[in-house]
Amino acid sequence: MELSSRQEEIIEIVKANGPITGENIAEKLNLTRATLRPDLAILTMSGFLEARPRVGYFFTGKTGSELLSEKIKKYKVHEFQQVPIVVKEDVSVYDAISTMFLEDVGTLFVVNENGCLNGVLSRKDLLRASMGQQDLNNIAVHIIMTRMPNITVCRKDDLLLDAAQKLINKQIDGLPVVKDKEEGLVVIGRITKTTITKVFVELALDHHV
Ligand code: ADP
């Protein structure tokens, strides 16, 4: 995050004099404690300073990038997962393509008669199936999908960073977020490259990092 020059000044004062009270920092800057309050709030929220009651502020010694990576390593999948789009395994390739357009997603999850995860359909899976002369209404998606147990999944309490690493290592665009059930895995969300891109942009624009 970008610190204002006053915030930089506060950090320098706390580094040199900490622990120091808000009152004393204000005095050194010839400002009132009230004027300083928003800056001190930002500096403590973002982790540069720590405030101890009746002791004062002290410098945590962490750099901006250390704080940023600490924050990223705390993100969980459930905080960012999006709604999954699922189709049944007997729908046609034609209908799966329509669903992909209508729902504006790049990955569809395929479920069996119990509603459990059985496959994944990517854009290229559907393109490949469309290259032959067959009638796309007559091919069921279970013929062309990538199927269990070869599906890479994540769970809601996993770290978002681990999910992102799976996307990279497996060279895929999306992961189903699943919940374990007796009959199999129920799809409760999705994490995609777009999810990770959104988080990246949010982090860059978040002034409290
Ligand atoms: P595209 O094929 O459109 O580039 P992907 O890179 O996501 O999209 O898919 C590549 C292949 O990996 C496809 O055959 C797809 O079925 C499969 N795939 C996609 N997601 C997963 C997943 N979570 N687990 C296993 N296989 C997947």
Side-chain angles (χ1 to χ4, degrees):
M1 71 181 271
E2 285 287 321
L3 294 179
S4 68
S5 55
R6 187 195 281 166
Q7 289 161 357
E8 299 274 11
E9 240 181 304
I10 294 173
I11 290 181
E12 290 313 313
I13 291 172
V14 177
K15 261 189 201 170
N17 306 281
I20 176 170
T21 63
E23 205 67 53
N24 291 144
I25 301 172
E27 244 169 56
K28 287 187 185 289
L29 290 169
N30 282 330
L31 295 167
T32 65
R33 171 83 178 82
T35 317
L36 231 50
R37 195 161 292 134
D39 290 316
L40 288 170
I42 287 170
L43 291 172
T44 46
M45 238 188 323
S46 52
F48 286 102
L49 302 183
E50 227 168 275
R52 290 230 183 104
R54 286 182 297 279
V55 179
Y57 292 89
F58 61 93
F59 182 57
T60 59
K62 287 179 182 156
T63 63
S65 65
E66 277 170 336
L67 294 167
L68 187 65
S69 94
E70 260 178 28
K71 186 164 176 161
I72 293 172
K73 284 178 192 156
K74 283 194 195 126
Y75 285 162
K76 295 283 182 72
V77 161
H78 67 83
E79 298 171 66
F80 301 96
Q81 70 191 44
Q82 293 167 284
V83 177
I85 307 300
V86 301
V87 294
K88 295 203 176 119
E89 54 192 350
D90 57 358
V91 306
S92 67
V93 167
Y94 185 94
D95 286 343
I97 294 173
S98 303
T99 305
M100 207 173 249
F101 276 106
L102 284 173
E103 301 289 350
D104 197 13
V105 291
T107 308
L108 297 173
F109 303 116
V110 185
V111 295
N112 62 20
E113 64 279 5
N114 295 324
C116 294
L117 179 65
N118 209 14
V120 174
L121 289 168
S122 74
R123 280 179 273 228
K124 264 184 245 148
D125 293 332
L126 295 170
L127 266 181
R128 194 181 307 112
S130 310
M131 288 177 76
Q133 299 299 316
Q134 310 98 311
D135 180 356
L136 300 183
N137 285 298
N138 288 333
I139 314 171
V141 291
H142 68 82
I143 310 279
I144 64 151
M145 68 189 187
T146 301
R147 60 177 54 248
M148 285 293 269
N150 299 321
I151 309 291
T152 307
V153 301
C154 64
R155 291 179 169 75
K156 73 176 177 48
D157 291 322
D158 289 351
L159 292 180
L160 188 68
L161 188 62
D162 291 337
Q165 276 174 330
K166 284 182 184 177
L167 292 176
I168 292 174
N169 295 339
K170 304 277 176 173
Q171 301 186 344
I172 49 180
D173 290 349
L175 294 176
V177 184
V178 298
K179 200 166 76 178
D180 299 273
K181 230 177 123 188
E182 248 170 58
E183 306 93 302
L185 301 174
V186 180
V187 185
I188 57 170
R190 80 189 144 98
I191 293 288
T192 66
K193 286 181 176 170
T194 308
T195 322
I196 309 294
T197 310
K198 275 189 192 159
V199 174
F200 174 80
V201 172
E202 261 175 41
L203 272 171
L205 300 179
D206 180 355
H207 293 289
H208 297 306
V209 171

